[in-house]
Amino acid sequence: MNKNIFQRKPLMTLAIVILIAGRLAFVVFDSKASAGAAGAQPAPNFTRQGERITIPEHSPLRQRLAVQTVAALDAAHALELPAQVEADPARTVNIVPPVAGKVLELKVGLGDRVRKGQLLLVMTSGDFAQASAELQKTRDALQLAKRALERQRGVQQAGAGAAKDLEQAESAYVQAQAEFASADTRLKSLSASGASAADRSGQRLNLVAPNPGSITELAVSAGQSANDTNAVLMTIANLENVWITANVPENMLSSIKKGQAASISLPAYPGERFQGKVSFVSDVLQADTRRALVRISVPNADGRFKPNMFANVSFAVAQAAAPAVPPSALLMNNENTTVFVEVAPWTFVRRAIETGSQEDGSVRIQSGLQVGERVVTKGGVLLND
């Protein structure tokens, strides 16, 4: 019995040693496996070699980047400038007093529409009274000279008159005609469009509208003295056609030509566009702003365009074809505008460019890119360091 026990002990000891050795080997193997797993690093989104950035095959960036071929843009550039509505000076009249006097009645108000010949105001004037009296005197003298000439001709025909008396009567009549014509012309010029017979008594001077239009300025009232014959009492502007006047900078003036189409918008009518053509380009620059006045004549039968309204004028300026990219392709790098250019499949290089104008959702490239090159148009910011 005891002998069998002693015989089994070496076998049990060997089994225990093998079991312990196995466990130790497992622990060592598991520790190495764990250490290997802990030391593994994820694959990078991109790799950089100098200036070249490469996107690996399984990088998630390939799903987030968009690459597009650079196209040529030859559309006309829209040059938009501030402007304002103005009355056409050729259809605008300033009413000034023909003589010094005093305004008795004012028949119109600011903004009123008037027709040709409509009474504007009534005034009294000593100069006008003197001119009226002079006309009356010359009229009477003319009638007297005419009767004297007719009598002298009758006497001459009867053979009882001297030839010199007839010549003297004819000369007096001619002089009376000249004096009457001069006085009549003087009075008509003072009465602006010809006063009525009652007005020519010298008591009242009527000023009437020489043209139809609207009263755009008014600087007089009833009872006011009008002693300055150069002072404007009111302004009448015919607004059936108006000017949209734009101020064009000196460096853009070569792009604007007479007859060129223009598109007009006004803050007063949001969402609406009006069309016109350039009718005038000033030959002189404004000294203080270095800009030239460019005017577009537009019809205004419905009166929607009112003088001094603000406006914006857009001119279509032809330009040569140039590379163009979407604005999303542009990235700022310090003070430079850059894009990522594809130099090989999924390999990109950052490149500085110079941009031009933007129209129709594309930015013109002045330098740094060629038509046909491919650039990153979406997600380029993910390639920044």
Side-chain angles (χ1 to χ4, degrees):
M1 180 73 178
N2 292 335
K3 184 178 180 179
N4 291 336
I5 293 174
F6 288 123
Q7 290 176 346
R8 294 175 181 172
K9 281 183 178 180
L11 296 175
M12 294 177 60
T13 301
L14 179 59
I16 293 172
V17 171
I18 293 173
L19 178 61
I20 292 174
R23 287 183 176 273
L24 289 175
F26 176 80
V27 170
V28 171
F29 177 80
D30 183 70
S31 297
K32 290 182 178 180
S34 299
Q41 298 295 328
N45 288 331
F46 61 84
T47 60
R48 179 184 294 276
Q49 293 181 350
E51 295 182 351
R52 298 166 68 95
I53 299 174
T54 302
I55 312 299
E57 181 179 358
H58 298 293
S59 172
L61 285 183
R62 291 201 176 191
Q63 304 298 323
R64 303 181 65 180
L65 298 181
V67 183
Q68 181 176 317
T69 301
V70 178
L73 181 64
D74 58 359
H77 169 54
L79 174 61
E80 188 161 332
L81 297 169
Q84 67 178 18
V85 180
E86 292 182 350
D88 186 346
R91 298 168 174 259
T92 301
V93 179
N94 291 325
I95 305 299
V96 297
V99 289
K102 184 177 182 179
V103 177
L104 298 178
E105 300 177 27
L106 182 63
K107 300 294 187 179
V108 294
L110 184 64
D112 288 353
R113 293 188 179 183
V114 297
R115 64 185 182 278
K116 183 177 181 178
Q118 181 175 334
L119 181 62
L120 302 175
L121 59 85
V122 179
M123 62 184 299
T124 184
S125 168
D127 293 339
F128 182 67
Q130 182 179 354
S132 298
E134 186 68 22
L135 179 65
Q136 186 64 39
K137 287 171 55 178
T138 58
R139 181 186 289 111
D140 291 344
L142 178 61
Q143 292 175 352
L144 181 61
K146 183 178 180 181
R147 289 194 294 268
L149 177 60
E150 291 173 348
R151 284 196 303 270
Q152 192 60 40
R153 284 175 176 171
V155 172
Q156 187 70 21
Q157 290 175 356
K164 66 174 185 177
D165 293 337
L166 178 60
E167 292 174 355
Q168 186 176 0
E170 289 176 344
S171 177
Y173 179 70
V174 171
Q175 293 181 27
Q177 280 184 316
E179 291 175 357
F180 174 78
S182 176
D184 187 58
T185 301
R186 167 65 175 165
L187 186 61
K188 287 180 178 180
S189 67
L190 295 182
S191 60
S193 66
S196 65
D199 296 328
R200 292 192 180 184
S201 64
Q203 299 299 316
R204 294 162 65 92
L205 170 62
N206 291 346
L207 294 186
V208 298
N211 294 313
S214 300
I215 306 297
T216 57
E217 294 182 21
L218 184 63
V220 67
S221 59
Q224 179 177 333
S225 296
N227 297 322
D228 186 357
T229 56
N230 294 318
V232 177
L233 301 179
M234 64 184 71
T235 299
I236 301 176
N238 188 325
L239 302 178
E240 292 181 358
N241 278 78
V242 296
W243 279 355
I244 308 296
T245 303
N247 294 291
V248 180
E250 180 179 1
N251 61 339
M252 299 179 182
L253 194 56
S254 60
S255 301
I256 310 300
K257 299 290 186 292
K258 185 176 180 179
Q260 184 174 348
S263 179
I264 304 160
S265 62
L266 293 90
Y269 308 112
E272 295 189 56
R273 306 290 296 189
F274 306 89
Q275 304 302 317
K277 290 185 177 181
V278 175
S279 57
F280 170 83
V281 178
S282 176
D283 291 332
V284 180
L285 292 181
Q286 295 175 305
D288 53 345
T289 63
R290 307 301 302 171
R291 292 170 179 257
L293 298 179
V294 174
R295 295 189 172 102
I296 301 98
S297 179
V298 294
N300 188 40
D302 55 2
R304 300 186 72 190
F305 296 100
K306 304 183 186 303
N308 301 319
M309 273 186 170
F310 289 116
N312 290 296
V313 178
S314 179
F315 301 97
V317 179
Q319 54 188 348
V325 298
S328 59
L330 306 181
L331 299 170
M332 294 304 300
N333 184 28
N334 296 327
E335 296 181 356
N336 298 323
T337 302
T338 64
V339 294
F340 282 107
V341 182
E342 188 179 48
V343 295
W346 293 106
T347 299
F348 306 94
V349 172
R350 184 191 292 272
R351 187 184 298 174
I353 61 171
E354 291 186 12
T355 60
S357 59
Q358 179 176 344
E359 59 261 357
D360 298 331
S362 296
V363 179
R364 296 174 67 91
I365 306 301
Q366 295 181 341
S367 64
L369 276 180
Q370 299 294 327
V371 175
E373 291 187 294
R374 289 171 57 80
V375 298
V376 176
T377 59
K378 178 182 178 183
V381 68
L382 300 175
L383 301 180
N384 286 332
D385 293 337

